[in-house]
Amino acid sequence: MAKRPVSEKKKKAIKKRKVVVEAEEEPAVPPISRSSEDPIPKKVKWTNKQRVLVFGTRGISYRDRHLMEDLKMLLPHSKPDSKMEKKDSFFVVNEICDMKNCNKCILFEGRKKRDLYMWISNTPQGPSCKFLVQSVFTMGELKLTGNCLKGSRPLLSFDEHFSSKPHLALMKELIVQTFSTPYHHPKSQPFIDHVFTFSYLDGRIWFRNYQIVEEDGSLAEVGPRFVLFPIKIFEGSFGGQTLWEEPNFVSPAKIRRQLKLSSSTKYISRVHQKIAQEESKPAVSYNLKPLDDIFSKDVDEVLKNDEIQPEPEEIAVIPPKKVKKKLKPTVLAKKGVHQTKIKKQKASSKKDKGKKFNNGKKRKNT
């Protein structure tokens, strides 16, 4: 059978009914999670992956160890390691850095528990610098008012002298790559609240750390303090061809040795001086007449000097106590026969006092 044609009005009415039914069937559903429960967006990947290995050799003093710990706190991109043995060569440090996945290294070398040397190297290709560390003051010693956030990124400030000489420019580039914290490092904080200053004066590099107190540029020192005396720059890492060397450098051990030698010659020079004085001394200084001073003195002074001094008081002397001597046995000779008789000192009773016996005969005391 053929279907009846539907008019246009009926078609519109049917469509309206379907839309109303669909709108009634979909209830309002709440969101699955809140905005506070959304996952934290991940940090942007850091491209400048600089890692610095900070450690020392055996033989450094307690103050040098505290300085090393302060630098570890200031450099969030640093990695620690155990102390290196003295018998090992410095070329082993390149292997240690490779194992720790580090491309920079700060090594503290102690000698005789007095001198401290710092190596800053770009491993494994180089270059590397060797410094003598002087005037060390740690954070614990200074107790300054400044304070900065741990892990924050620092600003690096250099003196104008670093751009005047080529060896200073090379040191500046090596220090920038070592001490600057990479952007978006996982252990760093997104703040810049302190400044590392490197000033070149008197042939030495002076290090200071300041806190940025306010935006106007007011600073407060945090610490630590130390002075780097550059000695050599090598082409390779911890060795290789010498690119630059300080001509006026004298090791502190050599200075101490010269001071000891100078102090040891004091006694010898004193003896030679005394001998020379005795040799040059004349036997008779002046020809003086003994009777020239007779009438120069006054009469009163002569009488005062000639006054009779009182005799010293006699000291009573206590005589020593008499000690009774032990009587020795008497030896008598009769007809070739030796007979000994011992004199008895103790009387047996009061009646026998004052009597002594000899050969069985009684004698009175005289």
Side-chain angles (χ1 to χ4, degrees):
M1 293 177 68
K3 293 182 180 181
R4 293 180 181 179
V6 182
S7 63
E8 293 181 359
K9 291 182 178 180
K10 289 183 178 180
K11 288 181 180 180
K12 290 179 179 179
I14 293 167
K15 286 182 180 179
K16 286 181 180 180
R17 288 174 189 171
K18 288 182 179 179
V19 170
V20 171
V21 171
E22 289 177 359
E24 290 177 356
E25 289 179 356
E26 293 179 357
V29 180
I32 299 171
S33 62
R34 299 179 182 177
S35 60
S36 60
E37 296 176 355
D38 293 339
I40 300 170
K42 293 183 179 180
K43 289 185 178 180
V44 182
K45 291 184 178 181
W46 49 294
T47 56
N48 182 17
K49 297 188 177 182
Q50 297 284 345
R51 300 182 185 90
V52 183
L53 182 65
V54 182
F55 71 114
T57 61
R58 293 197 179 277
I60 59 176
S61 62
Y62 68 96
R63 181 174 291 176
D64 305 337
R65 189 177 68 253
H66 292 172
L67 175 64
M68 183 175 65
E69 295 297 329
D70 291 345
L71 285 181
K72 288 179 185 177
M73 290 175 62
L74 293 174
L75 304 177
H77 61 290
S78 64
K79 286 189 175 183
D81 195 26
S82 59
K83 292 181 181 178
M84 192 181 74
E85 298 292 338
K86 287 185 177 180
K87 61 183 180 180
D88 297 336
S89 63
F90 287 147
F91 294 104
V92 182
V93 181
N94 297 327
E95 299 179 3
I96 297 172
C97 291
D98 190 14
M99 292 168 60
K100 292 280 186 177
N101 197 16
C102 297
N103 51 8
K104 297 290 185 296
C105 179
I106 299 176
L107 175 65
F108 290 91
E109 179 190 1
R111 292 183 185 176
K112 297 183 179 181
K113 293 187 177 180
R114 289 184 176 183
D115 308 327
L116 179 64
Y117 293 89
M118 180 191 287
W119 289 80
I120 301 177
S121 175
N122 179 30
T123 58
Q125 292 86 11
S128 58
C129 295
K130 183 181 180 182
F131 303 93
L132 174 66
V133 186
Q134 298 174 333
S135 303
V136 177
F137 296 97
T138 60
M139 288 188 190
E141 292 176 345
L142 294 173
K143 296 181 179 178
L144 298 170
T145 56
N147 189 14
C148 59
L149 183 67
K150 185 178 180 181
S152 60
R153 299 176 64 233
L155 293 174
L156 270 66
S157 174
F158 289 91
D159 196 3
E160 59 183 3
H161 294 90
F162 282 92
S163 58
S164 61
K165 297 180 181 179
H167 67 278
L168 292 176
L170 179 60
M171 290 180 195
K172 176 183 176 181
E173 184 62 28
L174 193 59
I175 289 171
V176 166
Q177 295 184 15
T178 305
F179 283 87
S180 61
T181 304
Y183 187 51
H184 290 305
H185 191 276
K187 292 184 179 179
S188 66
Q189 299 291 339
F191 305 105
I192 297 174
D193 60 349
H194 63 287
V195 184
F196 291 162
T197 61
F198 296 89
S199 304
Y200 185 78
L201 179 66
D202 196 17
R204 292 167 175 82
I205 299 172
W206 302 70
F207 174 84
R208 295 291 184 270
N209 180 23
Y210 296 99
Q211 177 199 359
I212 303 172
V213 181
E214 295 179 0
E215 295 181 358
D216 58 352
S218 58
L219 303 175
E221 189 173 356
V222 181
R225 295 178 180 176
F226 58 89
V227 180
L228 299 177
F229 188 12
I231 303 171
K232 283 185 180 181
I233 299 177
F234 297 98
E235 185 180 4
S237 177
F238 296 98
Q241 186 179 358
T242 303
L243 300 178
W244 176 83
E245 184 177 2
E246 176 62 39
N248 300 324
F249 173 73
V250 181
S251 65
K254 194 173 182 179
I255 295 172
R256 288 194 296 269
R257 184 171 174 272
Q258 291 175 355
L259 290 173
K260 284 184 179 179
L261 289 174
S262 62
S263 62
S264 64
T265 56
K266 285 183 180 179
Y267 174 74
I268 299 169
S269 62
R270 199 183 303 126
V271 170
H272 287 306
Q273 186 179 1
K274 190 178 288 186
I275 293 168
Q277 184 181 2
E278 289 177 357
E279 289 178 353
S280 62
K281 186 178 180 181
V284 180
S285 60
Y286 297 101
N287 294 325
L288 300 175
K289 295 179 181 180
L291 300 176
D292 289 347
D293 298 336
I294 291 175
F295 300 104
S296 64
K297 296 181 180 179
D298 296 336
V299 180
D300 296 335
E301 293 181 1
V302 174
L303 292 174
K304 285 180 182 179
N305 294 331
D306 293 341
E307 286 180 355
I308 300 170
Q309 296 181 357
E311 295 181 357
E313 296 180 358
E314 295 182 357
I315 300 170
V317 180
I318 300 170
K321 294 182 179 180
K322 293 182 180 180
V323 182
K324 293 181 180 181
K325 295 182 180 180
K326 293 183 180 180
L327 299 174
K328 295 182 180 180
T330 57
V331 181
L332 300 175
K334 280 188 178 182
K335 298 178 182 181
V337 180
H338 297 280
Q339 297 177 356
T340 60
K341 289 188 177 182
I342 301 170
K343 297 178 181 181
K344 297 182 179 180
Q345 295 178 355
K346 293 182 180 181
S348 59
S349 61
K350 294 180 181 180
K351 295 179 181 180
D352 298 334
K353 274 187 180 180
K355 296 180 181 181
K356 294 183 181 180
F357 297 92
N358 189 12
N359 292 330
K361 295 179 181 180
K362 295 181 181 179
R363 288 196 307 182
K364 294 181 180 179
N365 293 331
T366 57

